[in-house]
Amino acid sequence: MITTPGRIGRTRPAKSTRAAVPAISNVPPPHNPEAEQAVLGGLMLAGRDGDVETVASALAGLGVGDFYVRGHAAIFSTIEALHREAKMPDLVVVCDWLRQQGRLDEAGGAAYLTGLLGATFSPVTLAEHIPLLKRDAMRRTLAELGGHLLHHSRNGADLEALMTFSGRVLDDVREGLEFVHSPYRERSCTDRISGAALAADETSPEVAWLPFLRQLGVVGRGLATLLSAHGKAGKTTLLLYAVRALLPALPGFRITWITEEPRALWRARVRRFPEMASPAFTLIFASGRPWPDVVARLAREETDLLVVDTVRAVCGITDENDQASVTAAIQPLVFLARRKGWALVLVHHLRKSAADVGLGHAGSHALVGLVDVAVELHRDPHSRTRRVCKTVSRFLETPAEWVVDLRGDEMQILGDPGLLAAAETVRRVHTVLDETPRSRDEVAALLEPQPSRGALHNALSVLVNEGKATLHGRGTKGNVYRWSARKHSFIHDLSSIRERMESEPEGTRA
């Protein structure tokens, strides 16, 4: 924590209705020096970024009297004065103004003001810190009112005058409370609501899922999706094809992509794929800027989908196993996406060793906890162009697994991997069958690798039902079942495979 400048004492705004109150306790009134530091640091960061809207919005509901530490009040009054003169209150300008007014030492000195920039992550956090500051300021006001009433009631003050004064003070408190909830609280969180009212609410929109490679339940507006894979497994390629499909499908849809890759590589991609040579597609090349600065810049972006590729390279996380640093880097971005209604996709890596679904993402599990949908992208061992996606999600709409396949210049969703594996087994079995009737064990001996007994039985049943194979024998000890086929023609209709799989208990599927 930054050491606060000077002594702690009350500082009132001009024309305040608050009265001087004799001390009735040695306990200091409610105050939060850390929140004051964070607000001042956020305002100076907004001034550095030229974010006039954020500065004006914060100043609209704050006053000098909201700051308990005298040095903080001096800094805030300087920021107010600079704003009135249409000057941006960055660190250099604020220090210079205080020095010119002879108040720099009162504010704690230049080194203290510089330290305030590290008291907050970015101007985005003003939405959380201003309500804390206002809350304690209102509590101090009520404490002062109580002391005022106690003192003057004991000394025979006029009752009507006390009531009139109390009414003015309470009006001030109500006004302060309104700012606690608006504009910042309304923009940063959902109002309190009962379960019954929420169930009857027809105004709240449903989750707006984007057609991510025609797969719903994976990427949505206001939601964060984590996509992880091993190196060179195709994370960026998968997203590249998703973006190519989204741009023409959703007119006016805007995409911003923060990338660690070189400009020359992206120039080649944009020239190859004309869909991406669009004003709606914006690239931000990671340049080593501090991550808080990048988040502050993103807060001024107008976009619908934000891709961060990759988290480790872009977000300034030095130790991805450190839960606190991961949360500090990623949580403000997730909150920003929620407020802005952006779809957020974070690209990451998988652990080198195998892990259960949801635990394969590298580093701290805090990253998975922060997002809404976490996708693991794995290579399909049976196909060079196929990838298997496995997910954990907060939403029932998200598919647990699906397969994608790169075919030429198109990425296609192939569907449920279990269904695809069953179809592949059918194809392989049909390939080895000929006019010689063979038992199940004889058919299995012709396959490499051999499918499970259940998978082979299902495949043979499908071939017989489709008329592609003939069943011989009665299934008795002396007359076992045998299968043969006259010709090879791949089965295109997978409905029989799907029906058979769905009719079987979950534990019996191969």
Side-chain angles (χ1 to χ4, degrees):
M1 185 190 78
I2 305 171
T3 304
T4 53
R7 68 182 182 87
I8 294 180
R10 287 176 291 128
T11 306
R12 300 186 181 87
K15 301 181 181 179
S16 172
T17 58
R18 305 175 195 174
V21 182
I24 59 175
S25 171
N26 292 325
V27 178
H31 63 285
N32 190 331
E34 293 82 8
E36 294 182 13
Q37 292 167 344
V39 169
L40 294 173
L43 287 170
M44 287 191 289
L45 288 173
R48 179 201 62 188
D49 297 333
D51 191 349
V52 179
E53 180 183 353
T54 294
V55 174
S57 181
L59 294 182
L62 287 173
V64 174
D66 292 326
F67 292 83
Y68 181 77
V69 179
R70 284 186 175 178
H72 294 166
I75 298 169
F76 180 79
S77 64
T78 297
I79 292 174
E80 276 190 316
L82 290 169
H83 181 67
R84 284 194 298 268
E85 296 194 9
K87 296 180 180 179
M88 294 308 300
D90 65 12
L91 173 65
V92 175
V93 176
V94 171
C95 283
D96 181 72
W97 183 280
L98 286 166
R99 187 179 291 109
Q100 296 298 326
Q101 300 295 316
R103 304 183 68 187
L104 185 58
D105 289 340
E106 176 189 352
Y112 180 76
L113 267 74
T114 302
L116 290 177
L117 299 182
T120 186
F121 186 82
S122 80
V124 174
T125 59
L126 285 169
E128 302 299 325
H129 296 146
I130 286 180
L132 301 180
L133 188 153
K134 293 292 295 186
R135 178 200 64 195
D136 286 343
M138 295 304 99
R139 286 174 175 170
R140 288 198 302 276
T141 300
L142 292 175
E144 291 175 1
L145 174 61
H148 176 86
L149 292 175
L150 177 63
H151 174 72
H152 289 284
S153 295
R154 286 176 173 175
N155 287 280
D158 181 73
L159 184 60
E160 268 191 42
L162 286 177
M163 292 178 64
T164 300
F165 178 81
S166 298
R168 290 201 302 267
V169 173
L170 291 175
D171 286 342
D172 288 347
V173 172
R174 289 190 189 95
E175 183 179 347
L177 287 176
E178 288 176 3
F179 186 76
V180 168
H181 296 286
S182 175
Y184 279 102
R185 280 298 185 187
E186 290 179 359
R187 293 191 312 195
S188 63
C189 66
T190 304
D191 291 339
R192 181 183 179 189
I193 187 171
S194 71
L198 185 60
D201 183 16
E202 300 294 339
T203 60
S204 298
E206 300 293 332
V207 175
W209 295 109
L210 299 178
F212 184 77
L213 294 172
R214 298 188 294 278
Q215 180 72 67
L216 299 180
V218 180
V219 176
R221 292 183 183 272
L223 304 179
T225 300
L226 178 67
L227 174 64
S228 299
H230 293 299
K232 307 304 180 184
K235 304 180 295 291
T236 301
T237 301
L238 180 70
L239 287 172
L240 188 69
Y241 282 88
V243 165
R244 288 183 56 216
L246 285 172
L247 285 170
L250 302 174
F253 191 80
R254 300 157 300 181
I255 298 173
T256 302
W257 191 314
I258 307 178
T259 178
E260 63 179 324
E261 295 179 319
R263 187 182 297 261
L265 177 59
W266 274 102
R267 183 173 61 245
R269 286 172 177 164
V270 171
R271 288 175 176 176
R272 178 184 175 189
F273 303 123
E275 304 96 331
M276 303 179 69
S278 165
F281 180 65
T282 301
L283 283 162
I284 298 176
F285 294 96
S287 58
R289 281 187 73 180
W291 178 237
D293 294 354
V294 176
V295 174
R297 174 183 175 181
L298 290 173
R300 303 192 299 275
E301 287 283 332
E302 296 294 334
T303 193
D304 297 294
L305 169 63
L306 174 64
V307 177
V308 179
D309 185 9
T310 63
V311 167
R312 188 159 59 189
V314 173
C315 298
I317 300 174
T318 55
D319 182 2
E320 60 187 16
N321 291 302
D322 183 351
Q323 180 172 336
S325 64
V326 169
T327 301
I330 302 302
Q331 192 172 60
L333 186 61
V334 173
F335 286 164
L336 179 63
R338 297 229 196 287
R339 288 197 299 272
K340 296 275 193 176
W342 297 345
L344 174 64
V345 176
L346 305 171
V347 183
H348 194 43
H349 301 278
L350 288 175
R351 301 178 186 275
K352 293 182 179 179
S353 57
D356 293 336
V357 177
L359 302 178
H361 305 269
S364 168
H365 298 319
L367 188 55
V368 176
L370 288 169
V371 302
D372 303 290
V373 181
V375 182
E376 297 179 10
L377 183 68
H378 297 273
R379 296 179 182 273
D380 187 334
H382 303 298
S383 173
R384 185 178 60 85
T385 60
R386 288 185 188 175
R387 298 294 183 269
V388 179
C389 300
K390 301 181 180 182
T391 64
V392 291
S393 172
R394 305 184 197 276
F395 299 93
L396 295 176
E397 302 95 311
T398 305
E401 289 189 24
W402 75 98
V403 177
V404 296
D405 193 7
L406 177 60
R407 297 179 177 177
D409 279 348
E410 297 296 332
M411 186 77 74
Q412 298 186 9
I413 295 285
L414 299 185
D416 182 89
L419 179 61
L420 291 173
E424 177 66 14
T425 301
V426 170
R427 186 194 65 79
R428 294 172 57 219
V429 170
H430 194 218
T431 299
V432 300
L433 288 179
D434 55 24
E435 295 182 357
T436 302
R438 289 183 171 87
S439 67
R440 182 186 292 110
D441 291 341
E442 290 171 336
V443 173
L446 298 175
L447 298 170
E448 184 60 40
Q450 290 189 9
S452 68
R453 188 174 182 83
L456 179 56
H457 176 75
N458 288 341
L460 290 168
S461 298
V462 167
L463 288 170
V464 171
N465 291 336
E466 291 288 326
K468 303 298 191 300
T470 302
L471 175 63
H472 308 271
R474 296 180 180 179
T476 61
K477 185 175 181 181
N479 190 10
V480 298
Y481 287 134
R482 296 179 182 274
W483 290 264
S484 65
R486 291 185 178 179
K487 59 181 180 179
H488 298 159
S489 58
F490 183 69
I491 296 177
H492 296 283
D493 182 9
L494 302 182
S495 58
S496 60
I497 302 174
R498 182 182 291 105
E499 291 171 1
R500 188 172 188 88
M501 291 180 65
E502 291 176 350
S503 67
E504 294 176 345
E506 187 71 25
T508 64
R509 295 183 189 177

